[in-house]
Amino acid sequence: GRTLQMADFLAAHGYLVLVPDYYRGISFDPTTHKRAATLQFLKDQSGWDNNGQLYRDYTIIKGYTKTLGCKTLGTIGTCWGTYPVLRMSEDVDIKAAISMHPSHPTILTLLGESETVCLKDIKCPQLYMPSNQDPETVKSGGLSKQILGDMLEVVEFPDMIHGWTVG
């Protein structure tokens, strides 16, 4: 509900907003599954390298935006969605990105990917909005700020818990 509410808010302010279903209709609650099942689900949904599913989805969406006449693209993600935000930010066509209660450090670790390497490939300004429970690497003095420098603005929400924007 809140994801669509945020999309409607942006659309009401003149932006074309697309809300792709990167899970392709699958509902998955990692708190009710064993670690192995959660890891497999993340691997299945997060494939960026070697032309993985997420990369192919992004390519389709990006192509679709071109048919609509979009000239500037941005991306927003919450929780797991901050992983695709960072990956899409490797593309020069993405001009800005927002990550709310970011989980990409955990996702990258689970996928055996390097947060440092991923951050070094980013090509556009980033806004992180972490809660008090989110990894230190996404906070004001963390690894992301050290690598991205002025390309990253961090607005912390210390009174909020992880998931505050969609809960």
Side-chain angles (χ1 to χ4, degrees):
R2 285 229 180 118
T3 298
L4 294 177
Q5 183 180 23
M6 287 188 284
D8 288 344
F9 174 81
L10 292 170
H13 286 83
Y15 296 95
L16 172 65
V17 180
L18 301 176
V19 183
D21 179 7
Y22 291 119
Y23 290 167
R24 290 164 225 72
I26 299 169
S27 178
F28 189 90
D29 180 356
T31 64
T32 62
H33 289 83
K34 292 186 178 181
R35 185 172 172 19
T38 299
L39 182 56
Q40 188 60 51
F41 177 78
L42 289 172
K43 285 181 178 180
D44 292 345
Q45 306 310 316
S46 306
W48 191 260
D49 294 331
N50 300 319
N51 201 27
Q53 183 64 49
L54 180 61
Y55 180 81
R56 290 191 309 269
D57 288 346
Y58 171 63
T59 303
I60 292 166
I61 292 162
K62 180 178 161 183
Y64 180 63
T65 65
K66 302 276 186 203
T67 69
L68 298 173
C70 296
K71 295 180 181 147
T72 304
L73 303 176
T75 183
I76 300 172
T78 61
C79 193
W80 170 86
T82 68
Y83 175 80
V85 162
L86 289 190
R87 291 311 207 163
M88 291 173 200
S89 295
E90 297 171 8
D91 185 342
V92 295
D93 286 336
I94 298 292
K95 302 302 181 191
I98 299 172
S99 293
M100 297 178 274
H101 43 88
S103 291
H104 59 263
T106 304
I107 303 302
L108 287 161
T109 299
L110 288 171
L111 296 173
E113 298 179 30
S114 166
E115 186 175 2
T116 300
V117 171
C118 185
L119 291 169
K120 287 182 179 181
D121 289 338
I122 289 175
K123 296 179 175 57
C124 69
Q126 305 285 306
L127 170 63
Y128 287 3
M129 301 166 69
S131 73
N132 65 11
Q133 296 175 319
D134 293 317
E136 291 301 314
T137 62
V138 299
K139 295 185 179 172
S140 296
L143 178 66
S144 293
K145 186 65 173 172
Q146 293 168 21
I147 292 174
L148 296 173
D150 291 341
M151 281 186 30
L152 173 63
E153 181 177 345
V154 178
V155 178
E156 294 187 37
F157 290 81
D159 296 334
M160 302 306 252
I161 60 172
H162 182 81
W164 60 273
T165 63
V166 294

